[in-house]
Amino acid sequence: MSNQTDSTAEVLLEKRGGAGVITLNRPKALNALNLSMIKQIYPQLKTWEQDPETFLIIIKGTGGKAFCAGGDIRAITEAGKVGDKLAQEFFQGEYRLNNAIGTYKKPYVALIDGITMGGGVGLSVHGHFRVATEKTVFAMPETAIGLFPDVGGGYFLPRLSGKVGYYLALTGCRLKGRDVLKAGIATHFVESEKLPALEKDLIALKSPSKENIADLLNSYHKKCTVDQEKKFVLDEHMEKINSLFSANSMEEIVKKLKQDGSPFAIKQLETINKMSPTSLKLTLRQLREGASMSLQEVLRMEYRLSQACMKGQDFYEGVRAVLIDKDQSPKWKPPALEEVSDEFVDNCFKPLGNDDLKL
């Protein structure tokens, strides 16, 4: 299994030198993660973790456009509509994989070249090292499709500086290139064209420690001058982000944005008004609670939320409007924040008994 190099396979798992190399290989689908890929990656990661001859993991995507643009949302939608158990299995498998990455005993290096969204963030952000390039585009755009920033978003987003994570989660704002590093999502920044050389050097390391790997990544990072002088895109708005997105409720955030009235606040208001009101409320609470939880507790909470979304209406409507019909005008139910009751939100967070996620 560990030398699977069939170029038609959806994921390639190879042992090269001292490295286990995972290549997401669905370039036409922007390397979107499906259940069969999860089922191949997870056991291989576990095997490599026990193997004394494997010293690090490298994960990357093919095709030059994306690392991984997210989970295979269409398949989940089809399954959820007819009550197929894929809607449970996918999230269970994905979150277990996120947890395996977050607790991995060996250095894990994600080369996040190109689009890295949703499920792709889950495959990278919990690992030790995330190498962004000038082609990286990061986003957690789930509130636009009636979902919430899952895959451990409730863990890493509230831990970013200030309220940046809340802002990214609620608005789906995209960060590009060096900004992904400046936001604290990537750990290193290297030119896209240097990645093959970096990978070769990582594979050539002889029984490396985490420090050796960090040193090698740092040396590439230091040599990279692309956009070095550019200020962080959110710098000028940080004060506003920290005050506007620190409110305890979505209604309060909206009120603060309206009161602020600056061009930046008005733009955020317009964005938030397009999102699923249910998703916004679930997301704000997910992040507020996740801020003091372990990764495992967050993933269990997110699994409960995922199943609540599968039973609801907004997820299917959001996918229809954004991904299928592409009319970009979802009809959310309920259509306003005020109509999403606290009781409804509470219910989405309730334990599922025997059906809770087991990690």
Side-chain angles (χ1 to χ4, degrees):
M1 179 67 194
S2 71
N3 282 317
Q4 183 187 354
T5 49
D6 168 9
S7 61
T8 60
E10 295 178 317
V11 58
L12 310 175
L13 302 159
E14 310 163 76
K15 181 73 194 301
R16 292 169 59 197
V21 182
I22 302 167
T23 309
L24 309 173
N25 191 35
R26 296 181 70 204
K28 288 199 175 91
L30 298 176
N31 299 323
L33 185 67
N34 61 27
L35 186 57
S36 81
M37 292 160 79
I38 292 167
K39 283 184 169 171
Q40 292 170 70
I41 297 168
Y42 182 85
Q44 186 62 68
L45 270 181
K46 290 294 187 190
T47 303
W48 280 331
E49 195 167 27
Q50 300 305 318
D51 173 26
E53 297 304 306
T54 304
F55 298 96
L56 77 151
I57 302 298
I58 299 169
I59 185 167
K60 59 181 182 167
T62 51
K65 281 190 182 163
F67 164 66
C68 170
D72 194 349
I73 292 292
R74 283 178 178 231
I76 302 162
T77 312
E78 294 311 311
K81 277 183 189 163
V82 295
D84 186 307
K85 65 180 193 305
L86 171 74
Q88 294 164 326
E89 281 182 11
F90 178 84
F91 290 106
Q92 285 169 353
E94 186 179 30
Y95 297 176
R96 279 180 192 143
L97 179 54
N98 300 148
N99 185 53
I101 295 165
T103 55
Y104 211 66
K105 293 183 179 68
K106 293 177 178 179
Y108 182 98
V109 183
L111 306 177
I112 54 172
D113 191 29
I115 299 166
T116 304
M117 296 185 185
V121 176
L123 289 176
S124 54
V125 79
H126 305 297
H128 304 99
F129 303 109
R130 287 89 63 191
V131 182
T133 75
E134 72 281 4
K135 291 177 10 187
T136 304
V137 182
F138 162 94
M140 294 298 275
E142 289 82 358
T143 54
I145 56 163
L147 212 52
F148 58 96
D150 64 337
V151 297
Y155 182 78
F156 84 88
L157 288 163
R159 284 165 172 78
L160 297 177
S161 71
K163 293 292 172 183
V164 166
Y166 291 77
Y167 167 69
L168 295 172
L170 296 168
T171 65
C173 167
R174 294 179 174 206
L175 294 176
K176 295 178 180 155
R178 212 177 261 272
D179 287 332
V180 180
L181 173 82
K182 290 182 173 157
I185 294 149
T187 57
H188 296 81
F189 187 81
V190 174
E191 289 100 328
S192 183
E193 61 180 37
K194 296 270 169 45
L195 289 183
L198 170 61
E199 190 184 334
K200 206 172 148 199
D201 285 349
L202 283 167
I203 288 165
L205 290 171
K206 295 279 174 266
S207 49
S209 65
K210 194 175 169 186
E211 287 68 35
N212 301 143
I213 291 161
D215 289 345
L216 178 62
L217 292 171
N218 290 340
S219 71
Y220 270 82
H221 174 80
K222 287 192 181 99
K223 285 185 205 134
C224 178
T225 55
V226 178
D227 295 337
Q228 215 169 14
E229 304 309 311
K230 269 171 79 173
K231 271 176 61 180
F232 180 36
V233 70
L234 297 177
D235 254 0
E236 56 180 311
H237 305 301
M238 273 317 297
E239 215 174 297
K240 282 198 189 302
I241 287 171
N242 290 340
S243 72
L244 297 168
F245 287 86
S246 63
N248 298 335
S249 71
M250 269 320 299
E251 287 89 343
E252 211 178 316
I253 289 175
V254 166
K255 191 175 146 195
K256 281 185 158 194
L257 288 167
K258 282 179 180 163
Q259 282 170 344
D260 184 277
S262 64
F264 175 76
I266 289 164
K267 196 173 159 224
Q268 305 323 311
L269 201 54
E270 282 169 6
T271 302
I272 282 172
N273 282 335
K274 292 186 184 128
M275 305 305 188
S276 154
T278 301
S279 289
L280 290 168
K281 285 208 168 175
L282 293 181
T283 298
L284 182 59
R285 176 153 162 197
Q286 169 208 2
L287 267 56
R288 286 171 60 85
E289 297 206 357
S292 56
M293 286 179 167
S294 68
L295 177 60
Q296 292 70 37
E297 289 168 331
V298 165
L299 291 167
R300 272 194 282 275
M301 164 179 75
E302 291 180 355
Y303 181 70
R304 293 165 187 169
L305 293 179
S306 77
Q307 297 311 295
C309 289
M310 292 300 107
K311 291 192 183 81
Q313 186 249 271
D314 277 6
F315 172 61
Y316 304 101
E317 175 58 13
V319 171
R320 179 205 66 72
V322 175
L323 300 175
I324 297 170
D325 299 343
K326 299 188 175 163
D327 58 26
Q328 312 300 331
S329 53
K331 306 280 181 283
W332 305 123
K333 280 183 193 159
L337 284 169
E338 295 71 33
E339 294 173 50
V340 183
S341 72
D342 291 346
E343 187 188 4
F344 173 83
V345 173
D346 288 345
N347 277 333
C348 296
F349 283 82
K350 280 195 175 140
L352 300 172
N354 288 337
D355 293 332
D356 257 332
L357 179 66
K358 291 160 193 70
L359 293 169

